[in-house]
Structure formats: C-alpha cells, structure tokens
Amino acid sequence: MTRTAARDRPRERLGRLGVSALGDHELLALVLGSGSKRAGALALAGLMLDAAGGIHGLMACSADELQRIPGVGVAKAAQVLAAVELGRRTLLRQPADRPQLLSPEEVGTYLLPEFGARPVEQFGIVLLDTKHRLLRTSVLTVGTLDRSVVHPREVFREASSARAAGIVLFHNHPSGDPAPSADDVSLTRRLVAAGELMGIDVLDHLILTATRFVSLRELGQLG
C-alpha cells in the first residue's frame, strides 16, 4: 500500500489550503476517516466514487449499495449517507422563509436538492397560497423504482387541509430521464380537471432528476 506524504494528506491540505481546494475523493476520504485492510481512505473514496458514478451518484445510493463496495461496512456507509443528507439539507430553504415560487425555474430550484436524486419514485405536491408563497411540501406516495400510484382524493385532501389556492405536482424519475411518459401526461390532465372542480389550481407538474427537471406547463401538456 503506497503511503501518502503527511503534507499531502487531505486533513493537512485542508489546513493549509482551505476546504475548497480539496477534490471530491479527498473530501470523501475525510468523511470516511480511515480506509480498510486493503485500501487507504483515499483509495477507498476513489472506489466509492467510481461505483456511484461520481459525487452526484452518491445522492441516489442506498446503504446496501454502498456496502457492496469492498471495504465499506455498515459504519462507513452510514457516515457517507449522513454527510450526503447534511449537504442536501444545507441547500433547502427554511420553512419560515415562505419563498414565493412564481415560475417553473423557481419551483424546480426549490425541489431539486431534496427530491431530485431519490432512488425510488416519489410523488408530491407543493402547496401555495394566493400569492404563490410556499405553505408546505408534501410527499403523497412512494413507489417502486419506476412507478408510483397517485389518487386524486389524496392530492386534494392535502391541498384542502392546507387551504392552498394552488398546487404544483412533482415527482422524480430515478432513471435520470426527465421526459414525461404518456401516463405522466394522463395523470396530470386528470388532476387539472379535478382541481377545476375543487377550485384549486393545478399550476404545473415538474418531473425531476438528480440534476435537471422539466415542466409540463412549459411543454404545453397541462391540459
């Protein structure tokens, strides 16, 4: 096993150069703290990033998937997932902020850090008041890897209880392709029609991936 010179170890480099100077594998090595019998922390970090497809891939990894990497046990998988979740939460707005979400871009930017990289499909709604200020965000269903079952009564029960004037539908595509399916379009149109009866506007439906999203309103597929 090749030893890294003391001044070139991640902790020493962080002290000399600052955290922004470290590469992804060095930051991950610091999170791991130590390596395994077969690989040091830097080498193990490199293996994890290769297996995940890079730093963004870690956001979609489960504990079981991380533990399939040689040298990664329960404790190290937990450390990495905790660090990823902390990073995700730093990107989220505080509920007290009550941001005003006036465009698909603003809604997508708000949702993407928390929901874009989920490993299974989740369907939820963003609840807005009459000025499009955020009331809350609710996940209504969690499906399998590629399917989620949504009932209109659950959507509008949640919207009514929050006294929402409008809602934005959203769900993630774990496949990484945000293009809407025929089922996505059909569901959206059913919910738009139900919203008209309930007096609650369905303003948009966003489909999220880890790094991007599409708006069915912008695609002209709301109704």
Side-chain angles (χ1 to χ4, degrees):
M1 185 184 301
T2 303
R3 290 187 175 275
T4 304
R7 67 179 276 106
D8 293 328
R9 293 171 186 162
R11 186 177 295 123
E12 282 69 26
R13 276 174 45 78
L14 186 152
R16 286 189 294 114
L17 304 173
V19 69
S20 62
L22 273 61
D24 293 346
H25 68 299
E26 292 176 302
L27 293 170
L28 185 55
L30 286 174
V31 170
L32 293 171
S34 62
S36 65
K37 292 180 179 179
R38 290 183 288 182
L42 279 171
L44 186 56
L47 285 174
M48 294 183 75
L49 290 173
D50 288 343
I55 199 73
H56 287 291
L58 288 175
M59 297 174 67
C61 286
S62 67
D64 287 343
E65 289 170 331
L66 292 178
Q67 288 172 55
R68 295 190 194 113
I69 300 169
V72 179
V74 174
K76 291 193 183 302
Q79 287 168 217
V80 171
L81 291 179
V84 169
E85 182 61 21
L86 278 172
R88 193 200 316 268
R89 292 183 186 185
T90 65
L91 297 176
L92 303 180
R93 298 174 186 266
Q94 295 298 319
D97 288 347
R98 290 288 309 277
Q100 191 176 35
L101 304 175
L102 298 172
S103 68
E105 183 69 27
E106 289 173 335
V107 179
T109 299
Y110 176 80
L111 292 172
L112 211 59
E114 185 171 8
F115 300 105
R118 298 296 184 181
V120 296
E121 188 168 306
Q122 296 186 347
F123 179 94
I125 54 176
V126 180
L127 303 160
L128 303 172
D129 66 15
T130 55
K131 295 183 178 180
H132 290 201
R133 291 175 304 192
L134 180 68
L135 295 170
R136 66 173 183 262
T137 301
S138 296
V139 172
L140 300 182
T141 66
V142 178
T144 60
L145 186 63
D146 59 1
R147 186 167 177 268
S148 184
V149 179
V150 181
H151 297 289
R153 65 177 176 270
E154 295 173 355
V155 172
F156 292 102
R157 182 190 303 127
E158 189 75 14
S160 296
S161 70
R163 299 180 181 273
I167 61 174
V168 175
L169 316 171
F170 71 89
H171 74 282
N172 64 301
H173 277 184
S175 67
D177 180 3
S181 67
D183 286 344
D184 293 335
V185 175
S186 175
L187 171 64
T188 302
R189 291 177 176 174
R190 283 199 298 125
L191 291 174
V192 168
E196 290 174 354
L197 292 174
M198 295 288 295
I200 298 173
D201 292 332
V202 177
L203 302 167
D204 204 346
H205 184 170
L206 267 58
I207 301 175
L208 315 169
T209 69
T211 58
R212 56 195 176 124
F213 62 89
V214 298
S215 156
L216 268 68
R217 174 176 287 281
E218 291 185 337
L219 294 176
Q221 299 287 353
L222 273 192

